[in-house]
Amino acid sequence: WEDYGLDGLQQNLDKLFPEYNLSLNRILEGLLKGELLSTAEYVLKGTLGVFLEQIAGLRELLMMLLLLGIAATVLTHFVEIFDRHQIADLAYYFMYLLFMMVLFRCFEQASHVALQILADIVLFIKLLIPTYLLAVGVGTGVTTAGAYSQVFAMVVDGTECILSGWIYNL
């Protein structure tokens, strides 16, 4: 593990995914021993746990939207009791503006998260390129691995530029 300089890879992955205890040493040992199912189960359990934590964080937003919807319905039907419907229309548009404000705020946060995730994905791919090239170098030769390293770097950087520009312009 240390001979190939993969300690830095584990440190960068720990920085990249602080809430996810992913041990590359354990994954590599499992793959080399032929324990594919247990290794896949280890990776999927950790990934599913992090995913469920993220969904639980969205519960607050869902409750806010639900409460705004209930308040809008009650307010609209309560105001319709009066003879003039201008107040009901005004209440409807006020609640509509509140909904839009909450949803625009969510979209803004989602775009920032998308840009951060894109940067993290590019960093993750850059971290895994040496591991892939190590496997290619063992399988086909050092010349092939050296040629592919430059191609992979260009493809990853080009993809990052295109996607970050596209997300930023949304």
Side-chain angles (χ1 to χ4, degrees):
W1 189 253
E2 292 87 15
D3 292 341
Y4 294 111
L6 297 177
D7 291 335
L9 180 64
Q10 181 66 46
Q11 291 170 356
N12 285 331
L13 281 177
D14 290 340
K15 245 190 290 184
L16 197 60
F17 305 110
E19 69 277 349
Y20 185 49
N21 293 332
L22 178 68
S23 171
L24 289 179
N25 195 8
R26 180 177 172 189
I27 292 172
L28 198 60
E29 281 180 14
L31 290 176
L32 290 176
K33 290 179 183 177
E35 300 170 350
L36 296 177
L37 291 178
S38 64
T39 305
E41 181 181 347
Y42 168 70
V43 171
L44 286 176
K45 276 186 181 178
T47 306
L48 185 63
V50 171
F51 181 71
L52 291 176
E53 287 176 14
Q54 293 295 324
I55 287 180
L58 293 176
R59 188 178 307 155
E60 179 182 329
L61 172 67
L62 182 63
M63 291 303 292
M64 184 186 306
L65 290 175
L66 186 65
L67 287 175
L68 273 174
I70 291 171
T73 303
V74 168
L75 185 64
T76 301
H77 289 301
F78 176 73
V79 174
E80 284 181 357
I81 295 171
F82 300 110
D83 290 335
R84 299 183 184 228
H85 290 280
Q86 289 92 358
I87 296 174
D89 292 339
L90 186 63
Y92 170 77
Y93 289 121
F94 179 71
M95 285 300 180
Y96 182 77
L97 285 174
L98 279 175
F99 268 119
M100 292 307 295
M101 189 171 64
V102 169
L103 292 175
F104 282 143
R105 174 81 177 174
C106 293
F107 181 76
E108 178 188 18
Q109 289 175 350
S111 67
H112 288 297
V113 168
L115 284 173
Q116 182 62 39
I117 286 174
L118 182 64
D120 289 346
I121 287 172
V122 168
L123 178 62
F124 182 73
I125 290 172
K126 284 181 180 178
L127 290 173
L128 287 182
I129 286 175
T131 307
Y132 175 73
L133 294 177
L134 179 68
V136 169
V138 170
T140 60
V142 178
T143 307
T144 306
Y148 275 127
S149 69
Q150 298 301 319
V151 171
F152 279 133
M154 287 189 327
V155 168
V156 168
D157 288 337
T159 305
E160 178 190 17
C161 287
I162 291 169
L163 290 178
S164 63
W166 179 66
I167 289 174
Y168 186 73
N169 288 329
L170 283 179

